[in-house]
Amino acid sequence: MSKDIYRSRLSKSLSERARKYLSSIKEDAEFFNEEIQTQIAHVAMLQRIGIFEKEEAKRIVDALMAISKEELISSTFEDIHEFIEAKLIEKLGEVAMKIQTGRSRNDQVATITRLKLKNLLLKSLEAEIKFVKDLLDRAEKDIECLIIYRTHRRDAQVANLSHYWLAFVDSSMRNLERIIEAYHRCDLSPLGASACGGSLIPLDREFTKEMLGFSGLIENSLDAVTTRDFILDSLHALTCIMVDLSRMAEDLIYWTDMKILDIDDSHASTSSLMPHKKNPDVLEMIKARAKEVISGYGTVSNILSSLPSGYNRELQRVKAIVIEKTKLAIESIEMMAEVVHLIKYDKNKAEEAILRSESIATDIAEYLVLNTKIPFREIHKGVANIFRELSNKKEIMDRISSYFKIESLEKLEPKLLLSLRKSLGSPNPSEIKRMLSDRKDKIVYFEDFLEKHKKVVKEVT
Ligand code: ARG
C-alpha cells in the first residue's frame, strides 16, 4: 500500500521518527466504527449528487465493510483516514480515488470525535443512572442509621445516612442533566464543512447528517472544523462527576476510619507488612482519577485557547484526551456504585461517636428557642458556655435545664431531635420519605432519554 497518498507536494516521505511521533493510529482504533460509518455516509452522499454511479458506491461500501480494525492497528499510516483511503485505492483502484471529493480530514475527524463522544456520553449516563439508583436503594434502607455531619472537618450536626446518600442523588441528577446538555452539543454534524471554507461540490450535508444520526448541523464551515467546545462541555460534566465522587471518597474514608462504616472486604486492600491493615485503596484511587479527569479539562482548554481558527494538529491530542478521561470517569462511577452498594453501617460505633460528640448542641439551642421566650443569640451564648465548661452529657443537659429554666431535656435523644427538624430538605424521616419518592419519579426521565438515544447511536455504529 502506498503510504504517501497525501504527500505529492513534498519530495520526501516522513522520517520514521516523525511518522511515529505524529501518528494517531493507536487512538484511532477507538474510532474505527465511527470512521467506517462516516465514510459510508459520505460515499452514499457522493452517489446521490452524481459523483459515483450506484455500482461504484456499492463496491466502495462493501470494501469499507470488509476492512478490519486489526489491519488498521498493524498499519503504519499517519492516521485512520489516510489508511482507509490508501486501503480502498489498493483494493479498488481508480474508483476509490474519488472518495475524498469534497471532504477533508478536518471535517472527518470532527465528525468521528462527535460520534464517539455521543456514544461514550451515553455510557457515562448509564453508569451515573445506575449509581443514582444504588444511592436511592441505600437511602431507602438507611433512615435509622445516624451519623454526624461535619463542617471544617469538625463535628457539626447529627443526621442520618439516608439524607447523606440523597444529597448525592441530587448532585448526581444535576450531573445527569450536564451529560445530556453535553450530548446535545455533540449531536451536530460537521461533515461537509470541507477543509474550513466549504466546497464547490454541492455536498448534501442534511443527507449525511441524517445518515449519521445527528440531530442537527454545525452550520458555519469554519466553526464546524474548529470548535471543540463540545469536548469542554463533556469534560465539564465529567469533572463535576469526579469532584462529587472525590468528595464522597473523602467522607467515606473518614467514616471508615471512625469505624462507623466498613468498606466491603472485596473492595479493601491490606499491607504487606502490617497485619492489622484494612485500607480503602479504591477510594484513594477514585480521588487520584478525579484529579486526572479534572486536569483533562485544564489541558484541553489550555490547548484550545492557544489555537487559531481552523484545524490544527494539536486537536489530535484533544481527541485522545477526552476519550481517555471519559473512560476513567465511567470506571470510577461504576466502582463507587459498587462501594456504596456494599458498604456496611455499624450502629454501635455510630452511637458511641454521637455520644462523644457535641453535635446535638444546635438542636438543643433551637429547642430552647421554640420552648422559651429567650432570643437565639442569648441561648447560643449560654449553651456555648455550658459546652465549654462541661463534657459529661448528663451534666450538660442538667445545667441547660437549670440555666434556661426548662423541664428536663433528657428525652431529647438525637433520633427524636431529627424528627423535630421542621425545615424542607432536612434529614427528618418524613422529609427523607418525601424526597425519596420524588427522586424516584425523576430518575425515569433520564432512563427514558438513555433508552431513546442508545437506539439512535446503535443504529449508526
Ligand atoms: N490524525 C488527525 C487527528 O486525529 C486527523 C486530522 C488531520 N488533519 C490534518 N489536516 N492534518 O486529529
Side-chain angles (χ1 to χ4, degrees):
M1 251 197 280
S2 162
K3 268 197 261 156
D4 287 345
I5 55 171
Y6 297 159
R7 298 178 66 81
S8 311
R9 167 74 177 75
L10 305 174
S11 56
K12 285 185 187 170
S13 295
L14 271 174
S15 81
E16 193 51 17
R17 193 181 298 280
R19 185 191 62 74
K20 280 195 178 143
Y21 194 69
L22 287 174
S23 171
S24 60
I25 289 286
K26 233 188 345 205
E27 61 251 35
D28 283 350
E30 295 275 359
F31 297 81
F32 185 76
N33 291 343
E34 287 75 12
E35 173 68 12
I36 296 291
Q37 290 313 318
T38 304
Q39 295 273 358
I40 292 173
H42 185 66
V43 170
M45 188 275 293
L46 289 182
Q47 181 209 322
R48 199 177 149 78
I49 63 169
I51 301 284
F52 283 125
E53 296 299 324
K54 192 164 176 205
E55 186 49 35
E56 291 175 328
K58 187 179 172 326
R59 280 175 60 211
I60 296 176
V61 170
D62 288 348
L64 280 167
M65 306 275 266
I67 298 173
S68 76
K69 203 193 230 182
E70 287 62 41
E71 285 176 275
L72 167 76
I73 295 168
S74 60
S75 78
T76 52
F77 285 86
E78 248 187 276
D79 63 33
I80 190 169
H81 319 293
E82 190 182 27
F83 160 75
I84 286 184
E85 191 175 342
K87 184 87 197 159
L88 291 178
I89 291 172
E90 181 197 56
K91 275 187 164 183
L92 305 174
E94 205 180 312
V95 65
M97 291 189 184
K98 289 186 186 171
I99 62 154
Q100 204 65 358
T101 308
R103 187 176 61 178
S104 154
R105 285 184 290 173
N106 304 348
D107 57 338
Q108 239 170 311
V109 75
T111 306
I112 63 171
T113 307
R114 284 170 181 270
L115 284 175
K116 180 73 191 175
L117 205 46
K118 274 174 69 177
N119 203 329
L120 281 178
L121 285 175
L122 290 185
K123 292 210 163 84
S124 62
L125 195 73
E126 187 158 26
E128 189 78 351
I129 289 174
K130 157 99 178 37
F131 177 51
V132 170
K133 288 168 95 177
D134 283 333
L135 289 168
L136 284 169
D137 275 354
R138 287 298 308 232
E140 187 128 42
K141 292 188 191 118
D142 293 344
I143 297 190
E144 301 283 313
C145 302
L146 299 185
I147 44 159
I148 306 168
Y149 280 168
R150 302 198 306 158
T151 61
H152 310 273
R153 297 178 191 258
R154 301 286 184 276
D155 288 355
Q157 283 189 283
V158 177
N160 51 43
L161 258 188
S162 291
H163 188 259
Y164 176 77
W165 302 129
L166 281 172
F168 280 90
V169 165
D170 285 3
S171 62
S172 303
M173 283 204 185
R174 290 193 295 277
N175 292 335
L176 289 172
E177 288 168 8
R178 290 185 180 104
I179 297 173
I180 289 177
E181 178 76 25
Y183 181 90
H184 288 313
R185 296 225 191 269
C186 287
D187 198 14
L188 301 174
S189 174
L191 198 62
S194 188
C196 53
S199 171
L200 268 69
I201 316 288
L203 305 170
D204 188 341
R205 295 192 62 192
E206 284 289 341
F207 178 82
T208 46
K209 173 211 101 180
E210 285 296 320
M211 257 192 98
L212 291 173
F214 283 109
S215 72
L217 286 179
I218 179 127
E219 219 174 63
N220 182 300
S221 60
L222 180 63
D223 187 28
V225 296
T226 302
T227 190
R228 295 297 185 270
D229 57 358
F230 63 98
I231 290 185
L232 283 181
D233 286 326
S234 306
L235 285 171
H236 173 249
L238 299 169
T239 292
C240 290
I241 288 175
M242 294 309 289
V243 167
D244 280 356
L245 292 186
S246 191
R247 177 161 57 86
M248 180 179 265
E250 274 283 309
D251 293 338
L252 299 186
I253 288 170
Y254 172 70
W255 281 326
T256 51
D257 191 28
M258 297 286 289
K259 310 265 188 278
I260 291 167
L261 292 181
D262 188 19
I263 196 167
D264 193 71
D265 280 0
S266 64
H267 297 145
S269 297
T270 54
S271 157
S272 62
L273 173 64
M274 297 170 281
H276 67 289
K277 291 286 262 178
K278 177 174 178 181
N279 295 330
D281 293 29
V282 289
L283 298 172
E284 292 166 327
M285 285 291 268
I286 285 172
K287 289 180 59 194
R289 295 208 159 108
K291 275 63 177 176
E292 291 182 55
V293 175
I294 294 164
S295 72
Y297 187 93
T299 310
V300 169
S301 49
N302 223 327
I303 293 175
L304 296 181
S305 67
S306 71
L307 296 183
S309 294
Y311 178 85
N312 297 276
R313 193 62 176 260
E314 288 96 320
L315 294 176
Q316 181 168 300
R317 290 306 303 148
V318 167
K319 183 183 82 174
I321 290 167
V322 69
I323 300 305
E324 185 197 316
K325 305 302 182 187
T326 311
K327 286 184 169 178
L328 278 184
I330 293 170
E331 284 168 17
S332 305
I333 301 165
E334 289 171 346
M335 186 69 246
M336 189 58 110
E338 216 177 284
V339 169
V340 166
H341 183 65
L342 290 182
I343 203 162
K344 280 181 221 63
Y345 172 79
D346 188 323
K347 187 170 183 288
N348 293 333
K349 288 280 184 320
E351 285 177 2
E352 277 167 32
I354 291 169
L355 212 63
R356 275 197 312 275
S357 94
E358 298 174 334
S359 50
I360 59 164
T362 307
D363 284 332
I364 300 289
E366 291 185 343
Y367 182 85
L368 294 172
V369 167
L370 294 173
N371 291 281
T372 68
K373 297 256 179 290
I374 310 166
F376 174 73
R377 182 56 59 222
E378 245 178 77
I379 292 172
H380 182 271
K381 189 174 162 195
V383 172
N385 287 337
I386 294 167
F387 269 89
R388 191 179 54 215
E389 272 173 43
L390 303 172
S391 54
N392 178 290
K393 280 287 149 58
K394 174 149 179 24
E395 285 176 29
I396 290 175
M397 290 304 204
D398 290 347
R399 178 75 68 84
I400 291 174
S401 294
S402 60
Y403 185 85
F404 291 102
K405 301 187 182 44
I406 184 158
E407 280 301 284
S408 157
L409 298 174
E410 267 160 36
K411 62 173 197 287
L412 296 184
E413 288 298 318
K415 214 165 137 186
L416 174 69
L417 287 168
L418 269 191
S419 70
L420 294 178
R421 298 223 185 124
K422 292 285 183 308
S423 55
L424 192 96
S426 81
N428 183 323
S430 66
E431 267 299 276
I432 299 282
K433 285 178 191 139
R434 182 190 62 76
M435 289 193 276
L436 256 172
S437 112
D438 177 72
R439 289 3 175 219
K440 276 190 199 159
D441 289 346
K442 284 196 171 124
I443 196 74
V444 176
Y445 163 77
F446 299 107
E447 289 178 313
D448 289 350
F449 180 95
L450 177 65
E451 284 320 308
K452 186 172 149 216
H453 290 269
K454 246 165 91 174
K455 267 194 219 123
V456 178
V457 166
K458 206 163 157 217
E459 273 162 25
V460 172
T461 48

